[in-house]
């Protein structure tokens, strides 16, 4: 009897000891919350190639139809129509999209003829050269090189210098980098030999802060071609920093509305760095925003009040407001298509 009682007491003591070890002391909930590690944001699933191709195909349809109408109504290429129409279709063709070769040749011939007829804007020439790396037009390259000023810069056109919110210094630096990119792409050997880049280096080393997303994008493209890898990395981080919560970018830094022009340009600059997870996530968010905001006719609407500094309000200026909206809608739609194309594999 005594032995049984001792055994029962021993078992009870062991049971309490195990319970004490298994049950931790109650933690302070506030302290737990304070010390908890933040949950990582879920990965952003990018659109499928099928989804991207459907959106791009609609966009190309809009650009072709509106580009044909521009050719009927106007006698200029402009920086926002013909160069980008050719650029988008060239990249689309390389990725297996159906591009009518006769129509493409018609656009090309019309655009080159317009450039020969009159003195075009410098950004227009530079974009034409960048749009057509497979079809060099030596007379355009020669004309662009001849317009470099004594301080190494190029004078920006009115659309960039006086109509947008970017300011004179930002416009000049952007036009200079754009021109150097075009010359370096068209004739890299001669470009290094003739000193165009060296001539512009002092002006481009000024510590000016870009006010527009386009300027930040072309700084990135310029650094990628001519600069050091760490410069490109820093500029990409700067682009990512300015992405808005909806996934898009605004044309002017600090504006509270995303637009297709800036978003397409940012995608064009970011794609070569897509192996970096934060960059890949930013690209996916931007693609989803463009897919969501595309209109039924394949275009993306641009709100010019967030881009242009000209007052076009009031009934008397309604025609001007509509004309500018049409131009920026085409401009933004072209860059949206070019930006989305970067993620589609070349065939």
């Amino acid at each position: 009897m005594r032995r049984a009682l001792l055994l029962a007491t021993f078992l009870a003591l062991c049971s309490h000891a195990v319970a004490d070890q298994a049950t931790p002391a109650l933690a302070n909930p506030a302290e737990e919350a304070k010390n908890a590690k933040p949950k990582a944001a879920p990965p952003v699933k990018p659109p499928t190639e099928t989804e991207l191709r459907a959106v791009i195909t609609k966009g190309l349809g809009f650009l072709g139809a509106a580009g044909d109408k521009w050719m009927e109504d106007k006698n200029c290429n402009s920086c926002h129509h013909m160069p980008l129409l050719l650029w988008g279709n060239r990249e689309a063709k390389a990725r297996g999209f159906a591009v009518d070769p006769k129509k493409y040749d018609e656009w090309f011939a019309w655009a080159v003829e317009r450039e020969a007829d009159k003195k075009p804007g410098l950004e227009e020439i530079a974009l034409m050269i960048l749009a057509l790396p497979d079809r060099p037009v030596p007379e355009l390259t020669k004309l662009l090189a001849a317009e470099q000023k004594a301080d190494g810069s190029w004078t920006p056109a009115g659309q960039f210098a006086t109509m947008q919110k970017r300011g004179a210094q930002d416009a000049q630096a952007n036009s200079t980098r754009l021109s150097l990119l075009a010359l370096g792409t068209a004739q890299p050997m001669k470009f290094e030999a003739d000193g165009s880049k060296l001539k512009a280096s002092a002006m481009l080393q000024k510590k000016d802060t870009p006010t527009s997303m386009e300027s930040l994008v072309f700084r990135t493209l310029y650094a990628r071609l001519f600069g050091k890898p760490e410069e490109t990395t820093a500029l990409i981080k700067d682009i990512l920093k300015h992405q808005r919560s909806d996934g898009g970018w605004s044309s002017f830094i600090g504006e509270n509305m995303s637009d297709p022009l800036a978003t397409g340009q940012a995608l064009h600059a970011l794609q070569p760095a897509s192996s970096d997870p934060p960059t890949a996530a930013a690209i996916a968010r931007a693609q989803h925003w463009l897919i969501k905001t595309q209109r039924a006719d394949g275009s993306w609407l641009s709100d010019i009040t967030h881009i242009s500094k000209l007052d076009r309000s009031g009934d008397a200026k309604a025609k001007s407001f509509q004309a500018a909206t049409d131009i920026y809608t085409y401009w933004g739609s072209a860059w949206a298509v070019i930006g989305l194309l970067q993620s589609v594999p070349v065939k």
Side-chain angles (χ1 to χ4, degrees):
M1 183 72 175
R2 184 180 177 192
R3 184 178 294 175
L5 184 60
L6 287 171
L7 180 60
T9 303
F10 175 74
L11 292 174
L13 289 171
C14 289
S15 174
H16 281 299
V18 171
D20 287 343
Q21 289 176 9
T23 306
L26 290 176
N28 183 338
E31 192 66 26
E32 274 192 345
K34 180 180 176 182
N35 295 326
K37 292 182 179 179
K39 291 183 179 180
V44 181
K45 186 178 180 181
T48 65
E49 185 178 335
T50 300
E51 290 175 304
L52 289 174
R53 284 184 172 274
V55 173
I56 291 167
T57 298
K58 280 177 66 178
L60 289 169
F62 166 77
L63 295 177
D68 283 341
K69 188 171 188 318
W70 180 268
M71 288 166 60
E72 291 173 11
D73 297 343
K74 306 291 182 180
N75 190 36
C76 71
N77 285 330
S78 81
C79 47
H80 36 70
H81 270 70
M82 299 311 294
L84 297 180
L85 173 62
L86 291 164
W87 191 336
N89 276 272
R90 175 184 58 78
E91 295 216 20
K93 182 181 178 183
R95 289 161 173 81
F97 288 84
V99 175
D100 183 345
K102 289 184 178 179
K103 175 59 72 174
Y104 186 85
D105 286 344
E106 177 189 335
W107 293 332
F108 175 79
W110 191 92
V112 172
E113 183 183 336
R114 296 286 83 68
E115 299 289 22
D117 281 351
K118 62 183 184 62
K119 186 176 179 180
L122 299 180
E123 288 88 359
E124 181 184 321
I125 301 174
L127 288 169
M128 279 285 290
I129 294 171
L130 290 171
L132 303 164
D134 56 334
R135 293 195 179 196
V137 185
E139 55 268 32
L140 292 185
T141 307
K142 183 178 179 181
L143 179 58
L144 183 63
E147 290 298 318
Q148 188 175 26
K149 295 165 62 180
D151 66 355
S153 70
W154 278 261
T155 303
Q159 181 63 246
F160 298 91
T162 60
M163 297 182 189
Q164 294 182 352
K165 296 179 179 179
R166 67 175 76 216
Q169 188 175 12
D170 183 278
Q172 186 183 52
N174 187 59
S175 293
T176 299
R177 287 188 178 90
L178 179 58
S179 298
L180 291 170
L181 276 168
L183 292 176
T185 300
Q187 46 180 18
M189 297 293 290
K190 184 176 185 303
F191 177 70
E192 289 295 336
D194 68 11
S196 298
K197 180 161 63 79
L198 181 62
K199 194 175 175 183
S201 61
M203 194 276 290
L204 291 179
Q205 285 172 5
K206 293 178 182 176
K207 298 295 182 182
D208 58 312
T209 303
T211 59
S212 67
M213 185 52 58
E214 180 177 84
S215 293
L216 186 51
V217 163
F218 278 109
R219 282 176 188 231
T220 306
L221 300 179
Y222 183 84
R224 185 173 283 138
L225 186 61
F226 298 125
K228 299 177 181 177
E230 55 267 28
E231 293 176 304
T232 308
T233 300
L235 287 162
I236 286 173
K237 287 181 179 179
D238 208 6
I239 292 175
L240 296 181
K241 181 178 70 177
H242 293 296
Q243 187 174 30
R244 291 174 42 75
S245 59
D246 60 10
W249 280 266
S250 57
S251 278
F252 286 87
I253 295 168
E255 285 289 329
N256 62 354
M257 178 178 285
S258 298
D259 67 69
L261 196 160
T263 304
Q265 290 177 332
L267 285 175
H268 179 67
L270 291 176
Q271 185 59 38
S274 59
S275 59
D276 170 56
T279 304
I283 289 170
R285 287 197 298 272
Q287 290 170 334
H288 284 299
W289 182 78
L290 286 173
I291 290 172
K292 182 175 66 175
T293 55
Q294 188 181 37
R295 301 195 294 180
D297 66 353
S299 69
W300 284 265
L301 180 65
S302 288
D303 184 344
I304 63 168
T305 63
H306 288 260
I307 300 173
S308 175
K309 67 180 182 182
L310 300 184
D311 177 15
R312 292 186 173 92
S313 60
D315 295 340
K317 299 177 181 177
K319 185 177 180 181
S320 172
F321 182 87
Q322 186 58 53
T325 297
D326 290 345
I327 285 173
Y328 275 94
T329 293
Y330 192 94
W331 204 346
S333 298
W335 271 113
V337 167
I338 292 169
L340 289 171
L341 277 165
Q342 306 313 303
S343 293
V344 179
V346 173
K347 298 293 182 182

